[in-house]
Amino acid sequence: MSCSCNCICCYINYSLAIEPIYPQVCQRISIMQQPSPIDAPISPVGLSELLNSLPCCLSLNRQDPLPVYHLIMEGRYLMQGIWNCVQFWTSCMVSLSFLQLLAIALVLPPILSVGQVLWLTCIVVPLLSVSLVGGPTDPEVMQKPTGKNQCSITSELSYYVMWFYGLKFLPVMINMVLMFIWSLSQACDLIKSTTNNNSTVEIQQCWYVYPDPKETEWGGWSKFEPTIISVQRLMLLFLVMHYVTISLSFVHRDYLLWKRTIHLNKPYLFTSLFIILVQWTYTVHYEYFESIENNISISKLSILTFIIGFVSLFLVFIVNEIVHWQEIRLNVRYQKRARLDFGTKLGMNSPF
């Protein structure tokens, strides 16, 4: 215990620690032998005492109002932001897995390479997800009733997840697969009329999206590896832009985009712009400045490919806002029902 006083007030620091007695029933041997200071300078109990005695305090001024209400508001909004981050992160990972599985089911080459998948899962998606937590605190969070812990998977929960999360990412998977097929078909047609640097045989006919179906390694794409890598790089660019577009509906979960703009969440705004800038710089650098001579790159594809990609972004944005609007309406109905249930129970238990 320590005390220091001056002419205005006194400060007192007081702490009390009690070491619990270990449960010992019908035992003659001690559960734990205290080690000697030479063999072990500190015991587990001693380490626990040191850790538990670290200073942890909350300073409150007497003339200031007690900020418990604001602390609860900050805590609730922080937990809501973390839950929002986890939902977006999980949805992106699931959609990425289904996208690769869909390509396998349609007998296509991998849409993304291993390095590109690692880039998405370790850099792009985590940065976007964590930046969603950086928004300003919404005072309306204190007007919302807390929900119950969902410990089991029910049909209602499954319907909610499939409808409000599946519809947000399903158009992305469909559009990316169609763009991949379209790009490979165009690249195959260009290869058909030219000769690759590593091949002396001209491709006469393409089957599906494969330049040489008689080959066992990706239907002949192993001979034109720079071309398929270029197409995968284009798919990565548009997939990153689609993820950024979807994340717009996760910035403010209780407001539509035109009712509360994203510039209020400055960490998310800077992160999304940085990711798009880095991805575009990487793609343009490798496709226009580091491209192999006489190679079929995405710069030789039809301009219609890029138009389809940007139209897909607009359609995904519209679908996400419609689903977001439906989600907000459902949450409002749930909050009204929760308030009604609380008011009914309060009236039933009232003594008057």
Side-chain angles (χ1 to χ4, degrees):
M1 177 176 178
S2 62
C3 177
S4 60
C5 298
N6 52 27
C7 59
I8 298 177
C9 59
C10 295
Y11 298 92
I12 299 177
N13 298 324
Y14 185 81
S15 61
L16 177 64
I18 300 176
E19 183 177 354
I21 300 177
Y22 295 99
Q24 187 169 345
V25 181
C26 300
Q27 291 185 4
R28 297 181 179 180
I29 302 176
S30 177
I31 294 178
M32 177 182 175
Q33 298 290 339
Q34 291 292 340
S36 61
I38 299 177
D39 298 334
I42 184 171
S43 64
V45 177
L47 179 61
S48 176
E49 292 174 355
L50 292 176
L51 293 177
N52 291 330
S53 62
L54 292 176
C56 180
C57 62
L58 178 63
S59 299
L60 300 174
N61 296 324
R62 188 173 183 179
Q63 63 273 15
D64 296 337
L66 194 64
V68 175
Y69 178 85
H70 298 282
L71 290 176
I72 296 175
M73 181 176 64
E74 292 285 348
R76 291 189 64 180
Y77 189 77
L78 178 61
M79 292 305 300
Q80 181 179 340
I82 293 176
W83 182 236
N84 188 27
C85 165
V86 172
Q87 288 176 340
F88 178 74
W89 198 330
T90 306
S91 301
C92 288
M93 295 296 102
V94 173
S95 66
L96 184 59
S97 301
F98 273 102
L99 182 62
Q100 295 287 73
L101 289 175
L102 187 59
I104 296 174
L106 295 177
V107 199
L108 293 171
I111 295 183
L112 301 173
S113 63
V114 177
Q116 292 171 345
V117 172
L118 290 176
W119 166 254
L120 283 174
T121 56
C122 298
I123 303 296
V124 175
V125 175
L127 285 178
L128 274 178
S129 302
V130 174
S131 64
L132 295 173
V133 190
T137 304
D138 184 13
E140 295 295 329
V141 73
M142 296 300 292
Q143 306 298 327
K144 301 174 185 176
T146 57
K148 297 180 180 179
N149 294 329
Q150 194 75 28
C151 300
S152 60
I153 299 177
T154 60
S155 58
E156 184 179 358
L157 178 62
S158 302
Y159 169 78
Y160 182 89
V161 172
M162 293 298 296
W163 180 260
F164 292 109
Y165 294 98
L167 284 183
K168 290 182 179 181
F169 288 86
L170 183 61
V172 176
M173 293 185 287
I174 296 176
N175 294 341
M176 292 301 300
V177 171
L178 294 179
M179 283 185 59
F180 189 55
I181 295 175
W182 171 265
S183 302
L184 287 181
S185 300
Q186 281 193 322
C188 188
D189 292 336
L190 292 174
I191 291 174
K192 183 174 61 174
S193 58
T194 58
T195 303
N196 190 271
N197 293 333
N198 298 327
S199 177
T200 58
V201 180
E202 186 177 353
I203 303 300
Q204 298 296 332
Q205 186 178 2
C206 293
W207 179 82
Y208 192 25
V209 295
Y210 296 104
D212 191 1
K214 296 180 181 179
E215 291 288 335
T216 57
E217 296 184 8
W218 299 116
W221 279 115
S222 58
K223 299 178 181 179
F224 310 100
E225 186 176 357
T227 301
I228 192 171
I229 291 177
S230 180
V231 174
Q232 288 176 340
R233 198 175 291 125
L234 177 65
M235 295 300 104
L236 176 64
L237 173 64
F238 278 107
L239 185 58
V240 169
M241 295 179 66
H242 277 86
Y243 279 162
V244 173
T245 304
I246 294 176
S247 65
L248 293 175
S249 61
F250 283 83
V251 178
H252 305 295
R253 297 299 297 272
D254 299 323
Y255 303 93
L256 294 174
L257 189 60
W258 53 82
K259 291 186 177 180
R260 194 168 189 180
T261 57
I262 61 173
H263 77 275
L264 297 176
N265 191 343
K266 291 181 174 56
Y268 167 79
L269 183 62
F270 292 139
T271 302
S272 57
L273 292 177
F274 173 75
I275 289 175
I276 293 176
L277 179 62
V278 169
Q279 198 62 49
W280 269 100
T281 304
Y282 168 79
T283 305
V284 171
H285 173 73
Y286 275 93
E287 293 300 327
Y288 291 92
F289 298 101
E290 296 291 336
S291 60
I292 302 175
E293 189 177 357
N294 298 326
N295 177 43
I296 305 298
S297 62
I298 61 175
S299 59
K300 299 180 181 179
L301 298 180
S302 173
I303 191 64
L304 185 60
T305 305
F306 297 92
I307 295 177
I308 293 174
F310 287 107
V311 170
S312 173
L313 290 173
F314 178 74
L315 293 178
V316 168
F317 172 75
I318 296 298
V319 171
N320 272 263
E321 284 301 306
I322 294 175
V323 175
H324 191 198
W325 174 61
Q326 294 287 337
E327 185 180 5
I328 292 174
R329 290 183 58 188
L330 182 63
N331 290 334
V332 170
R333 287 200 301 267
Y334 170 77
Q335 293 171 15
K336 290 181 179 179
R337 190 186 309 118
R339 291 193 185 97
L340 180 62
D341 293 341
F342 178 77
T344 303
K345 293 179 181 179
L346 186 64
M348 292 174 60
N349 298 326
S350 176
F352 302 101

